């Protein structure tokens, strides 16, 4: 009979139980999330948001516990949840710094590439060169800070003797050492990072000028900017805005950690800045990994010759590499 149900065989029972996900529809959002989190940048931004959210929850839970204790609703003025979340935040912060141990490799790659493909203006070229060299100071110091904070290396590095570089000659260990101070390493690594942030703000200013120049150049053509051009310019403006928010949030953090006494008495402000930077970075990264249909030839009008050079868009090549060092032990 047409309405008769299929017999419940072992195979059908398996399909109904083990194969239950066959009834779950596919999700573009899930595919996008997996695609983004599969990248180093996406997973780092995810943990960054969790890290600073947790750091903001800890003082709130401690404050609530003190209020409840004063009202007689809690035996102790402490929160066990705050302590557990604090441990989670420390683990995430430590893991993010560990995952940056290879950070010098993309810096080398970027600095080699920028010399072969220079920026469109001399000013941008100088800014990017200074940014690259600031990172060459930042990363080694941060690596030393991380290794020293975990007692992986000694706080004194022996200097090699001259004869150590001569083969077939037995040398004695050098008596001279380079002292390593945890606080000094943290301060100077963050100072190099602060220099990068300031340079990046100058870079964004020049990027904005070039983008406006391109917009004016397109408007001078007979046909004017096409819909694709308008969408592309709008997209780049949003990217510049996101980058501006990220670096303006990093700026007070870098200044605070670059000074021995800092600028904030309450570190909650640092956590707020970190959360803002994390959310803005996530937003820009999410948009960058979205799949977009390829434009058709009909959407690309022929360009008229012009003497003005169109300004290309340059994303920050280090925006997914440089993150706030965790200097909680300073």
């Amino acid at each position: 009979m047409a309405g008769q149900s299929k017999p419940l065989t072992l195979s059908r029972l398996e399909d109904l139980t083990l194969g239950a996900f066959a009834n779950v529809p596919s999700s573009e959002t899930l595919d996008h999330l997996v695609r983004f989190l599969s990248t180093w940048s996406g997973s780092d931004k995810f943990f960054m948001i969790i890290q600073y959210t947790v750091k903001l929850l800890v003082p709130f839970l401690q404050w609530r516990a003190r209020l409840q204790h004063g009202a007689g609703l809690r035996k102790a003025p402490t929160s066990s949840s705050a302590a557990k979340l604090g441990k989670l935040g420390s683990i995430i912060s430590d893991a993010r710094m560990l995952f940056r141990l290879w950070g010098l490799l993309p810096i080398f790659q970027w600095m080699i590439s920028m010399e072969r493909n220079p920026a469109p203006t001399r000013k941008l070229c100088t800014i990017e060169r200074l940014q690259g060299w600031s990172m060459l100071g930042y990363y080694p110091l941060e690596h030393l800070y991380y290794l020293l904070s975990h007692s992986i290396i000694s706080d004194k590095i022996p200097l090699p003797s001259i004869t150590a570089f001569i083969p077939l000659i037995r040398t004695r260990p050098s008596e001279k050492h380079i002292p390593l101070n945890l606080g000094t390493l943290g301060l100077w690594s963050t100072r190099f990072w602060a220099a990068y942030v300031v340079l990046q703000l100058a870079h964004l200013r020049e990027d904005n000028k070039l983008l406006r120049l391109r917009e004016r150049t397109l408007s001078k053509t007979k046909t004017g900017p096409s819909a694709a051009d308008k969408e592309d310019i709008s997209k780049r403006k949003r990217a510049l805005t996101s980058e501006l928010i990220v670096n303006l949030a990093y700026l007070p953090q870098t200044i605070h950690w670059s000074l021995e006494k800092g600028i904030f008495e309450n570190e909650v402000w640092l956590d707020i800045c970190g959360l803002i930077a994390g959310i803005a970075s996530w937003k820009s990264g999410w948009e960058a990994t979205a799949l977009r249909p390829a434009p058709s030839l009909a959407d690309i009008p022929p360009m008229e010759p012009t003497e003005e050079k169109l300004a290309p868009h340059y994303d920050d090549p280090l925006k997914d590499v440089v993150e706030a060092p965790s200097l909680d032990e300073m």
Side-chain angles (χ1 to χ4, degrees):
M1 295 177 63
Q4 186 176 2
S5 61
K6 297 181 180 179
L8 188 62
T9 62
L10 185 61
S11 298
R12 179 162 175 75
L13 181 61
E14 177 186 339
D15 292 339
L16 293 174
T17 54
L18 300 182
F21 277 92
N23 300 319
V24 179
S26 58
S27 172
E28 293 184 2
T29 302
L30 179 61
D31 294 341
H32 191 179
L33 184 62
V34 172
R35 184 169 60 252
F36 185 36
L37 293 180
S38 297
T39 64
W40 181 87
S41 172
S43 60
D44 181 72
K45 298 302 177 292
F46 173 75
F47 286 117
M48 182 181 180
I49 293 174
I50 295 179
Q51 172 190 343
Y52 284 108
T53 301
V54 164
K55 286 189 173 184
L56 288 172
L57 285 175
V58 168
F60 169 75
L61 293 175
Q62 292 173 341
W63 171 75
R64 189 186 67 169
R66 290 192 297 268
L67 287 181
Q68 291 178 340
H69 176 71
L73 302 176
R74 184 187 291 263
K75 294 182 179 179
T78 57
S79 171
S80 59
S81 298
K84 295 176 182 178
L85 287 176
K87 292 180 180 179
L88 175 62
S90 298
I91 292 174
I92 294 176
S93 176
D94 188 86
R96 293 182 62 229
M97 187 178 290
L98 174 64
F99 295 152
R100 290 199 296 269
L101 284 177
W102 59 272
L104 273 175
L105 297 181
I107 301 301
F108 287 139
Q109 183 186 43
W110 177 54
M111 294 186 72
I112 294 171
S113 175
M114 80 166 70
E115 298 302 328
R116 288 164 173 74
N117 303 282
T121 66
R122 184 69 183 183
K123 185 178 291 186
L124 276 177
C125 183
T126 302
I127 291 174
E128 291 181 358
R129 283 173 172 172
L130 290 174
Q131 284 183 303
W133 282 99
S134 68
M135 289 297 97
L136 292 182
Y138 165 78
Y139 273 110
L141 292 176
E142 188 197 54
H143 300 339
L144 289 174
Y145 171 88
Y146 180 83
L147 297 175
L148 182 60
S149 65
H150 288 276
S151 302
I152 298 175
I153 60 175
S154 173
D155 59 354
K156 294 181 180 179
I157 298 179
L159 286 173
S161 60
I162 299 177
T163 56
F165 301 97
I166 303 176
L168 304 179
I169 296 181
R170 186 176 180 180
T171 60
R172 295 180 179 179
S174 176
E175 297 181 356
K176 298 181 179 181
H177 295 79
I178 301 176
L180 298 178
N181 180 272
L182 195 64
T184 302
L185 291 173
L187 284 173
W188 279 101
S189 66
T190 316
R191 286 168 182 171
F192 281 112
W193 181 44
Y196 174 86
V197 171
V198 173
L199 288 168
Q200 182 60 18
L201 291 173
H203 197 300
L204 292 174
R205 184 171 180 270
E206 294 301 312
D207 287 338
N208 185 57
K209 289 181 180 179
L210 293 177
L211 188 58
R212 290 180 179 275
L213 174 62
R214 180 184 179 185
E215 193 172 14
R216 289 195 303 267
T217 303
L218 290 173
S219 64
K220 291 179 181 179
T221 59
K222 292 182 180 180
T223 57
S226 64
D229 290 329
K230 291 181 180 179
E231 175 62 25
D232 182 63
I233 291 174
S234 176
K235 173 187 172 184
R236 295 179 181 185
K237 285 182 178 179
R238 291 195 302 268
L240 288 177
T241 302
S242 296
E243 279 299 299
L244 180 62
I245 294 173
V246 170
N247 286 275
L248 287 178
Y250 280 153
L251 186 60
Q253 287 186 318
T254 58
I255 295 175
H256 176 84
W257 287 323
S258 297
L259 303 174
E260 292 184 2
K261 296 183 179 180
I263 58 175
F264 296 110
E265 295 183 1
N266 191 342
E267 293 192 357
V268 169
W269 296 109
L270 297 174
D271 300 332
I272 292 175
C273 291
L275 183 60
I276 292 173
I279 293 175
S281 297
W282 174 277
K283 181 177 180 295
S284 61
W286 180 266
E287 292 178 353
T289 53
L291 294 179
R292 293 178 175 84
S296 62
L297 294 178
D299 297 331
I300 307 178
M303 291 293 296
E304 295 186 359
T306 175
E307 296 180 357
E308 295 186 68
K309 184 177 181 180
L310 296 184
H313 174 66
Y314 288 88
D315 287 325
D316 176 14
L318 307 182
K319 66 181 180 181
D320 299 329
V321 179
V322 184
E323 297 296 344
S326 174
L327 307 180
D328 298 332
E329 300 180 17
M330 290 178 54

